[in-house]
Amino acid sequence: MSHSQESGGRRLDRRRFLTTAAVGGATIVGASALGGLDAEAAFAEPMPSLDAAIPAAFAEGRIVATNRNVLDVAGSHGERHLIQLTNATSIWKLRTTTAEAIEVGDGLYARGAAMPDGTIAADAVWVNIVNVYVTIRGIARDRLHLTHGNEELVGHIVPDTTTASYLGGALTADLSRTRIGQEAQVLGAWRPADGAIDIARVSLGH
Amino acid sequence: MIPLVSNLAPLACAVLLALTGAAKLFGRQTAQLAANTVLVRVLNDGRRATLALRTLGGAELALAAALLASPEALLPGIGTAVLGAGFTGYLAYAKATAPESSCGCSARAEGPIGVRSFARAGLVVAGGLAAAGADSAWWSQVSRRPGGSALVLAAAAALLLCASADLDHVWLLPLRRARIRVFGNPLPSAAGERVPVAATVQLLENSLAWQTAMPVVRSALLDHWDDEGWRVLRYAGSYQDARGTHPVSVLFALDLTLTVDTAPHPAVRVSLIDEETEEVVPSSVLTPVPVRTALPLAT
């Protein structure tokens, strides 16, 4: 208990320090400060690559074991990956989270750098992420009933997390503009236990 | 009431079995359908699974004919009930061993086995038992009490409709739409609530600041918090200088009330903190987004 309070305190101190650095002496990049006015300016020249010396690596599969910060992953095509998590690894499981949220049996998609010993040092890990095109067939207080082809799916609404985008607009917590019969794209986290989806984002009317 | 139901049960069961049996026996998709069922694993072969489904279709048609022709006989009713019990057992087995497989019950491409599949099998058992108890032929029952018969048959049809997903668009979706029209959308409207973090990330990813910092950023969103009107988004990154590669925290600070709808070109504060020395890295490591060169025009 005292340990977690202590680490929580450290976390807040660190955030406070980073906020001061971020807001204090920061470079302001706005529309008029650097470059052209439209976003497409970025495509005028190719982006520099991350780091040519380190080969980029991708891994995808089900987690069969976790050992401290190493995930043992069985790929969909019979391959095996060892994925090393560091404190610079971002972890997504419905929302930005930490390594403690990862469970054996979860699906995973990881991006990182291939290490000489064969492991992958992960930059970013997405756990149970799914992206499906669906039709909304029913709306309840805490879930959407969806069909993907002929398959029925349940999409759970998660308070403070589920967002919606209408006609390509900004993501909003306002879900009340969903309609039965609409086509939608759902990004979310699959629940291995019952096959349902916790919805992170539902995009409508694109 | 009960004799009425059990006298009409042979007719209802016969129509149902004739429809599903004919679809299985003569359907063009039977082979495709069989491939999705657990039968393939049990019989070790797709062709044998197809044959099994077609044989079952034939048996269903034969039962339907027997039910129609001799409704007072005990055997067709018992046969139907046994068939229904067999379906239930098969569903339970498939659900336990391969929950994602299709049930193949009504010979259409259906989703995984659910409550409705079991309800359908249960209805076949109940219908078969009721048919076994029939004490007069359905045609004489219909001519004796046409009104009551029509009512019972309509109820049976409605019951089967509810247990099958094929006709949802006819009755279930309009019903749900009507409920939302009357009672309103049950989902939160969240008017005037705070901007979700996902919307701030969206705003950042559409910004010039993101394009400028992208070569340095390596991770996805690592942490975020709100402080004094700012929303700070932290990413992990690395930059290179003469002494090698250094890990950094890439921090973006944005106004926490803005979204892409309200601010198409937001000003974003960007800073890089060296993870080892905890010092602010000069912004010269960021690559300014090049001004777009105009494409040559054909004259």
Side-chain angles (χ1 to χ4, degrees), chain A residues 26-46:
Chain A
T27 311
I28 301 171
V29 185
S32 55
L34 277 166
L37 275 167
D38 63 339
E40 281 159 43
F43 300 107
E45 275 177 34

Side-chain angles (χ1 to χ4, degrees), chain A residues 73-165:
Chain A
V73 173
S76 301
H77 306 287
E79 70 277 28
R80 211 58 179 264
H81 303 285
L82 285 176
I83 295 176
Q84 174 77 52
L85 305 178
T86 68
N87 55 9
T89 309
S90 66
I91 295 162
W92 183 96
K93 188 176 180 179
L94 185 63
R95 58 180 80 86
T96 299
T97 181
T98 54
E100 283 87 65
I102 300 178
E103 288 165 42
V104 170
D106 282 342
L108 162 148
Y109 177 79
R111 193 191 69 201
M115 291 286 113
D117 64 354
T119 64
I120 293 172
D123 288 325
V125 169
W126 291 270
V127 179
N128 292 338
I129 191 165
V130 286
N131 184 14
V132 281
Y133 289 90
V134 296
T135 309
I136 298 176
R137 302 294 296 270
I139 300 172
R141 198 191 306 272
D142 58 351
R143 63 190 185 280
L144 295 176
H145 294 274
L146 312 164
T147 52
H148 173 65
N150 283 313
E151 201 179 321
E152 292 191 11
L153 277 174
V154 174
H156 292 276
I157 308 288
V158 184
D160 294 331
T161 300
T162 303
T163 57
S165 163

Side-chain angles (χ1 to χ4, degrees), chain B residues 4 14 86 101 103 156-157 162 173 182 187 194 227-228 259 266 269 273 295:
Chain B
L4 182 66
S101 65
C103 77
C162 294
L173 293 195
V182 175
L187 294 177
R194 65 186 208 103
D227 200 331
E228 293 173 1
T259 68
R269 287 171 186 263
I273 313 290
L295 292 171

Side-chain angles (χ1 to χ4, degrees), chain A residues 8-78:
Chain A
R10 267 209 302 273
R11 193 176 159 89
L12 286 182
D13 282 351
R14 172 116 179 104
R15 280 181 171 179
R16 189 65 230 156
F17 162 74
L18 290 171
T19 306
T20 313
V23 178
T27 311
I28 301 171
V29 185
S32 55
L34 277 166
L37 275 167
D38 63 339
E40 281 159 43
F43 300 107
E45 275 177 34
M47 279 293 174
S49 71
L50 275 178
D51 188 342
I54 304 171
F58 298 90
E60 159 285 317
R62 293 286 286 272
I63 298 165
V64 290
T66 62
N67 179 13
R68 286 190 195 161
N69 282 325
V70 179
L71 307 177
D72 189 350
V73 173
S76 301
H77 306 287

Side-chain angles (χ1 to χ4, degrees), chain A residues 14-16 19 21-23 27 29 34 38 42 88-90 111 123 137 139-140 170-171 174-176 178, chain B residues 173 176 179 185 187-189 199 202 208 211 218 220 222-223 225 227 261 268-271 273 275 278 283 292:
Chain A
R14 172 116 179 104
R15 280 181 171 179
R16 189 65 230 156
T19 306
V23 178
T27 311
V29 185
L34 277 166
D38 63 339
T89 309
S90 66
R111 193 191 69 201
D123 288 325
R137 302 294 296 270
I139 300 172
L171 291 167
D174 176 9
L175 306 175
S176 65
T178 47
Chain B
L173 293 195
R176 285 175 171 169
R179 201 191 64 196
N185 195 315
L187 294 177
S189 71
Q202 185 187 30
L208 210 57
Q211 294 165 25
R218 295 194 66 99
L222 205 56
D223 195 10
W225 61 92
D227 200 331
D261 286 350
V268 181
R269 287 171 186 263
V270 187
S271 40
I273 313 290
E275 281 290 290
E278 300 235 310
S283 62
R292 185 165 57 175

